[in-house]
């Protein structure tokens, strides 16, 4: 079953209600013209294709199934994605894949600032560059960047693997370059294949947590307090 | 929140429709700022002829149309030049061959019931509290032609919901600014700018940013240089759209929390908080789209 929703004729609420009621099938959405929350909260194994650029929170809270956007996306693309696949052919602005728990987010173009902020298990593959403070406070999952990363990559990162093929403007606090082991090459192979992108896994560098912010260090408190503690 | 739109027409093609297109964009930003709205329109004007846009915010307090003419008469004496008056609801546009900066200061000092929204040969500013669509229709935005426009829908955070707190803000000739964000060092900066001869009419943080740019440009900076200095001196969150006599500029703070998207075709450059405002424009499907980089100055000029 395939249905088309023209957002110049159908309301956003009507569209999302229909997508939430569906249990299977494919859906095409036309004329999104930057609308917010397009195909948010999908909870069934359906395939949604959007022709045109979307606004905020497209495919937010994505539970299962696939959403493909033939265009660009604004803030919060696939935020809190749990599983399934979200793909855009263009670029995404801020906070793509924020707090994602699982699933795969593919951005064929560039991602803006704070891509993968607080990611908790999602895999994100970006064909172009990512903006500043990407993977800020990342906790789990993989971020693969075929282009460059802007300043403060992985600031205050807990865990997660950040793979960057191009340059990194600067690493954030407690983020360090790490050895690429066989298991990481396997991860990269798997993710690049799933994303449909051709790149040599050996060309990527890996970054992750130095784990220096995990624990309290007595050296970090000032001398006066240290003296009081000593007494 | 707040919503920003800017439209800069590079060619003549859409200039008769500047107001209509700006109104379409403004409508899309209603949800980001339902408290109040305002817009600045730039047109070619007449050389040497200054327009001063004024607001009588408390019409209820008994301000009548005749008061505009009485004020203009007094101003004529100060300027030594005739002043024509055009009344538009609670706004009036004074036109004169006299000195615009002098006129602005005289009105601020002598007509406390009025606010000076703009002065310059090319610019007019209109603003009001209330639904942005109603604001646009009350001042007949859709019928305006011109070269560029910037507009704003406001969700107040740093000062009260009043017409005077609405954007755009202008303190210098033909220069105005709309702001999404909040500045944290505006009180200190306001004091410094007042010592350098800027005058302010509100407690609003964004007016200070406008005053800062006016001061820099009065000192001889180009808009690009003024914005370069602004990056060092303004502390806080901001996405700015700035209009000057012959151009249009955009600046986001280095953290860039506040959204912005830009689209450019051979005929126009458009900027907005969200793409949906830009999606209303003709030929948008062929536009080059990008998100402005943090801390990077973007500007366009009619003369380049």
């Amino acid at each position: 079953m395939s249905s088309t929703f023209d957002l110049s004729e159908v309301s956003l609420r009507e569209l999302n209600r229909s997508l939430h009621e569906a249990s299977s099938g494919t859906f095409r959405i036309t004329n999104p013209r930057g609308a917010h929350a397009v195909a948010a909260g999908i909870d069934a194994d359906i395939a949604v294709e959007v022709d045109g650029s979307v606004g905020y929170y497209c495919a937010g809270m994505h539970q299962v199934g696939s959403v493909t956007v033939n265009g660009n996306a604004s803030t919060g693309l696939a935020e809190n994605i749990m599983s399934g696949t979200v793909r855009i052919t263009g670029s995404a602005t801020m906070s793509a894949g924020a707090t994602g728990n699982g699933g795969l987010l593919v951005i064929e173009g560039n991602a803006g600032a704070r891509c993968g902020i607080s990611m908790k298990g999602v895999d994100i593959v970006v064909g172009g560059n990512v903006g500043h403070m990407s993977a800020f406070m990342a906790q789990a999952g993989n971020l693969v960047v075929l282009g460059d990363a802007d300043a403060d990559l992985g600031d205050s990162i807990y865990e997660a693997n950040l793979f960057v093929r191009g340059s990194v403007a600067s690493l954030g606090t407690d983020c360090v370059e790490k050895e690429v082991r066989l298991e990481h090459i396997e991860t990269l192979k798997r993710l690049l294949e799933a994303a449909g992108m051709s790149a040599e896994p050996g060309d990527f560098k890996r970054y992750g947590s130095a784990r220096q912010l995990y624990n309290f260090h007595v050296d970090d408190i000032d001398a006066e307090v240290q003296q009081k503690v000593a007494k | 929140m707040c919503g920003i739109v800017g439209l800069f027409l590079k060619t003549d093609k859409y200039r008769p429709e500047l107001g209509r297109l700006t109104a379409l964009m403004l409508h899309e930003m209603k949800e980001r700022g339902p408290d109040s709205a305002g817009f600045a329109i730039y047109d070619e004007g007449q050389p040497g002829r200054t327009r001063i846009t004024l607001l009588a915010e408390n019409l209820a307090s008994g301000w009548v149309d005749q008061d505009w003419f009485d004020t203009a008469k007094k101003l004529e004496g100060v300027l030594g030049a005739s002043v024509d008056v055009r009344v538009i609801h609670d706004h009036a546009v004074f036109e004169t061959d006299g000195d615009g900066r002098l006129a602005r200061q005289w009105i601020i000092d002598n007509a406390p019931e009025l606010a000076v929204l703009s002065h310059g040969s090319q610019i007019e500013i209109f603003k009001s509290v209330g639904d942005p669509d109603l604001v646009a229709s009350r001042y007949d935005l859709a019928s305006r032609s011109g070269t560029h426009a910037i507009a704003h829908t406001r969700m107040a955070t740093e000062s009260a919901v009043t017409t005077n707190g609405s954007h755009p803000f202008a303190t210098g000739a033909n220069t105005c600014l709309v702001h999404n964000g909040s500045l944290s060092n505006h009180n200190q900066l306001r004091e410094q700018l007042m010592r350098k001869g800027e005058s302010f009419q509100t407690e609003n943080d964004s007016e200070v940013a406008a005053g800062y740019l006016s001061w820099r440009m009065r000192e001889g900076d180009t808009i690009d240089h003024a914005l370069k200095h602004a990056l060092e001196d303004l502390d806080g969150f901001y996405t700015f759209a700035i209009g000057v006599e012959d151009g249009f500029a955009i600046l986001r703070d280095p953290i860039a929390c506040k959204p912005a998207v830009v689209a450019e075709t051979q005929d126009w450059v458009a900027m907005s908080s969200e793409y949906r405002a830009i999606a209303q424009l003709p030929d948008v499907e062929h536009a080059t789209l990008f998100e402005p980089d943090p801390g990077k100055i973007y500007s366009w000029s009619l003369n380049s």
Side-chain angles (χ1 to χ4, degrees):
Chain A
M1 191 190 81
S2 175
S3 323
T4 298
F5 292 87
D6 182 345
L7 271 178
S8 64
E9 289 170 2
V10 177
S11 76
L12 180 69
R13 187 151 297 203
E14 209 175 317
L15 161 72
N16 279 339
R17 191 179 292 132
S18 301
L19 296 178
H20 296 160
E21 283 166 358
S23 54
S24 64
T26 61
F27 299 83
R28 181 168 289 275
I29 301 167
T30 57
N31 288 312
R33 304 178 89 184
H36 292 182
V38 171
I42 289 181
D43 194 15
D45 194 9
I46 59 174
V48 179
E49 191 144 348
V50 186
D51 290 331
S53 292
V54 293
Y56 290 12
Y57 311 125
C58 176
M61 304 172 286
H62 188 70
Q63 193 70 35
V64 61
S66 74
V67 174
T68 304
V69 178
N70 299 309
N72 303 309
S74 190
T75 303
L77 170 70
E79 53 108 23
N80 215 56
I81 179 174
M82 301 301 286
S83 68
T85 305
V86 174
R87 171 189 291 273
I88 66 164
T89 61
S91 293
T93 63
M94 294 186 276
S95 306
T99 75
N101 275 264
L104 175 66
L105 169 60
V106 180
I107 297 164
E108 295 184 7
N110 300 318
R114 297 173 283 275
C115 177
I117 181 173
S118 196
M119 54 193 278
K120 298 180 175 76
V122 65
D123 293 322
I124 304 174
V125 182
V126 180
N129 308 324
V130 293
H132 65 281
M133 296 204 93
S134 286
F136 177 54
M137 296 185 85
Q139 291 145 58
N142 298 287
L143 172 64
V144 180
V145 181
L146 276 70
D148 304 332
D150 204 351
D152 295 325
L153 177 71
D155 191 278
S156 305
I157 184 171
Y158 291 83
E159 283 304 322
N161 289 309
L162 316 179
F163 300 101
V164 182
R165 186 168 68 164
S167 66
V168 174
S170 66
L171 292 171
T173 302
D174 210 34
C175 185
V176 291
E177 187 177 341
K178 293 190 156 184
E179 182 194 3
V180 180
R181 297 191 299 268
L182 199 57
E183 67 200 82
H184 303 120
I185 295 287
E186 291 302 321
T187 300
L188 273 166
K189 262 187 200 160
R190 173 175 62 80
L191 291 176
L192 288 165
E193 195 184 321
M197 290 193 191
S198 61
E200 186 52 55
D203 292 345
F204 289 79
K205 287 182 173 171
R206 182 171 75 102
Y207 305 89
S209 179
R211 300 176 182 133
Q212 295 302 303
L213 298 178
Y214 272 34
N215 304 103
F216 174 73
H217 292 289
V218 75
D219 293 344
D220 291 344
I221 61 172
D222 63 36
E224 197 182 336
V225 179
Q226 282 191 40
Q227 279 174 357
K228 278 186 190 161
V229 172
K231 280 175 191 168
Chain B
M1 246 191 180
C2 296
I4 289 179
V5 305
L7 180 59
F8 179 76
L9 301 177
K10 300 196 291 188
T11 64
D12 291 339
K13 188 172 179 184
Y14 294 108
R15 286 183 185 166
E17 295 179 74
L18 175 68
R20 185 181 71 80
L21 297 173
T22 305
L24 287 174
M25 295 177 78
L26 188 70
H27 170 77
E28 293 295 321
M29 292 298 95
K30 261 171 76 156
E31 287 144 16
R32 295 187 65 91
D35 295 348
S36 38
F39 60 88
I41 286 274
Y42 288 82
D43 56 32
E44 279 157 12
Q46 295 172 46
R49 189 95 177 135
T50 294
R51 282 175 280 176
I52 303 145
T53 325
L54 300 166
L55 162 75
E57 186 166 15
N58 297 310
L59 276 183
S61 67
W63 185 265
V64 293
D65 280 3
Q66 186 55 43
D67 294 328
W68 290 117
F69 293 95
D70 293 346
T71 306
K73 188 117 254 144
K74 287 183 206 159
L75 185 60
E76 283 180 344
V78 176
L79 298 177
S82 70
V83 176
D84 296 338
V85 178
R86 181 159 40 100
V87 178
I88 305 153
H89 199 72
D90 52 353
H91 289 52
V93 181
F94 284 10
E95 278 195 45
T96 179
D97 293 334
D99 182 340
R101 189 167 149 81
L102 176 65
R104 175 181 186 268
Q105 195 58 51
W106 183 85
I107 294 165
I108 290 172
D109 294 340
N110 295 282
E113 63 279 23
L114 300 180
V116 184
L117 302 187
S118 67
H119 71 284
S121 52
Q122 266 108 341
I123 189 176
E124 289 181 23
I125 288 180
F126 297 88
K127 53 170 88 166
S128 182
V129 294
D131 180 281
D133 284 341
L134 292 177
V135 174
S137 66
R138 184 183 302 149
Y139 306 108
D140 205 12
L141 171 58
S143 74
R144 302 296 299 251
S145 59
T147 50
H148 48 305
I150 61 178
H152 186 268
T153 61
R154 180 165 187 244
M155 190 177 285
T157 57
E158 300 295 298
S159 62
V161 179
T162 59
T163 297
N164 268 332
S166 315
H167 303 221
F169 284 104
T171 67
N174 289 320
T175 302
C176 81
L177 163 148
V178 292
H179 175 201
N180 178 14
S182 58
L183 299 179
S184 44
N185 64 338
H186 61 100
N187 283 327
Q188 184 191 13
L189 211 51
R190 188 186 293 107
E191 296 292 321
Q192 290 169 359
L193 289 167
M194 282 166 72
R195 283 199 290 278
K196 293 179 194 303
E198 281 302 312
S199 55
F200 295 94
Q201 300 176 83
T202 74
E203 296 297 305
N204 190 282
D205 57 327
S206 312
E207 190 189 20
V208 174
Y212 180 86
L213 296 179
S214 298
W215 165 64
R216 292 291 342 171
M217 291 175 73
R218 216 173 54 243
E219 295 287 306
D221 274 6
T222 62
I223 182 65
D224 288 55
H225 282 121
L227 289 172
K228 197 164 168 249
H229 286 113
L231 272 169
E232 292 159 15
D233 290 338
L234 300 184
D235 186 14
F237 295 116
Y238 51 85
T239 290
F240 291 134
I242 298 124
V244 294
E245 190 173 308
D246 59 350
F248 172 63
I250 298 163
L251 179 65
R252 303 172 81 192
D253 69 74
I255 305 285
C257 285
K258 299 298 180 185
V261 57
V262 178
E264 183 163 8
T265 67
Q266 61 176 10
D267 294 311
W268 49 259
V269 178
M271 177 271 184
S272 181
S273 302
E274 294 182 27
Y275 173 74
R276 56 187 165 140
I278 289 170
Q280 309 304 316
L281 296 173
D283 209 26
V284 65
E285 57 278 14
H286 299 117
T288 308
L289 271 175
F290 65 94
E291 183 181 6
D293 284 342
K296 183 171 168 184
I297 296 156
Y298 295 85
S299 65
W300 292 266
S301 170
L302 289 171
N303 302 321
S304 60

